Amino acid sequence: MMNIKMIAFNDIVDEKNKERPTGHLTPIESGRDIPFVIKRIYYLTRVPENTIRGFHAHRQLEQVLLCLNGKVTISVSTPYEKQMITLNDPAKGLYIGPMVWREMYDFSPGSVLVVLASEHYNEADYIRDYRNYCEIAQEYLKGEPL
Ligand code: TYD
């Protein structure tokens, strides 16, 4: 789907001591593992059951979403396509580029959703009205300037 991809990070399991596992280490390098320079990080925690968040798209912002604990489902859509992706592996990230409508739901208790973003917070980059989004996205998909 347009401007969406999964990114697999290096999931390092140290096997020096086979009897005593020491867990997983996942490095993420800005501009290498992530296809942009990270300017902002934020996270969602303590999200109550049955909460749905998001309901917006971004004009320019690029983001990578990571679920570091528990699970959360992300619905990503354009006027023509829709996909549901469950994040439950701290070594995988969901890249979401510009002009993709997103909703986040089914947060498990204790889930931690981390977002890496290409720009500082800018409300003017948000499109929060779905009908307005569809109009702008249709133009975007024709390759016309926003
Ligand atoms: P919003 O992006 O709408 O959250 P979600 O998509 O998860 O439902 O942001 C919620 C509020 O937090 C909104 O008032 C803007 C504010 N906010 C910041 O101040 N800085 C940030 O980096 C982000 C992402 C949000």
Side-chain angles (χ1 to χ4, degrees):
M1 191 180 130
M2 173 190 89
N3 293 354
I4 292 295
K5 66 178 172 188
M6 290 303 299
I7 302 177
F9 302 115
N10 197 359
D11 191 2
I12 301 170
V13 182
D14 207 329
E15 287 179 345
K16 280 197 278 287
N17 186 338
K18 293 241 186 299
E19 277 92 66
R20 204 178 242 266
T22 55
H24 294 238
L25 185 154
T26 306
I28 298 180
E29 299 194 6
S30 176
R32 291 184 174 175
D33 303 295
I34 304 292
F36 52 80
V37 173
I38 299 165
K39 278 205 188 167
R40 177 168 51 113
I41 299 174
Y42 63 93
Y43 33 88
L44 300 179
T45 59
R46 295 158 285 177
V47 177
E49 240 185 303
N50 301 320
T51 300
I52 310 181
R53 303 193 55 129
F55 298 105
H56 65 257
H58 287 280
R59 294 170 194 275
Q60 314 233 302
L61 189 71
E62 298 177 274
Q63 295 182 310
V64 172
L65 282 60
L66 298 133
C67 188
L68 293 197
N69 191 54
K71 71 176 179 71
V72 56
T73 301
I74 320 290
S75 142
V76 282
S77 59
T78 68
Y80 311 109
E81 287 176 285
K82 185 172 182 142
Q83 221 177 307
M84 263 75 94
I85 297 155
T86 295
L87 297 178
N88 59 4
D89 178 349
K92 292 204 173 78
L94 171 63
Y95 168 86
I96 307 182
M99 296 309 297
V100 175
W101 187 264
R102 86 285 310 272
E103 293 169 19
M104 289 90 90
Y105 59 99
D106 269 355
F107 287 84
S108 69
S111 59
V112 177
L113 180 67
V114 175
V115 182
L116 314 176
S118 64
E119 297 297 337
H120 295 153
Y121 175 71
N122 173 16
E123 185 60 36
D125 187 68
Y126 280 75
I127 305 169
R128 293 191 183 272
D129 178 80
Y130 186 70
R131 283 173 61 185
N132 183 223
Y133 161 73
C134 285
E135 287 169 16
I136 300 172
Q138 280 161 358
E139 293 306 307
Y140 175 83
L141 284 158
K142 281 189 219 152
E144 290 182 16
L146 292 176

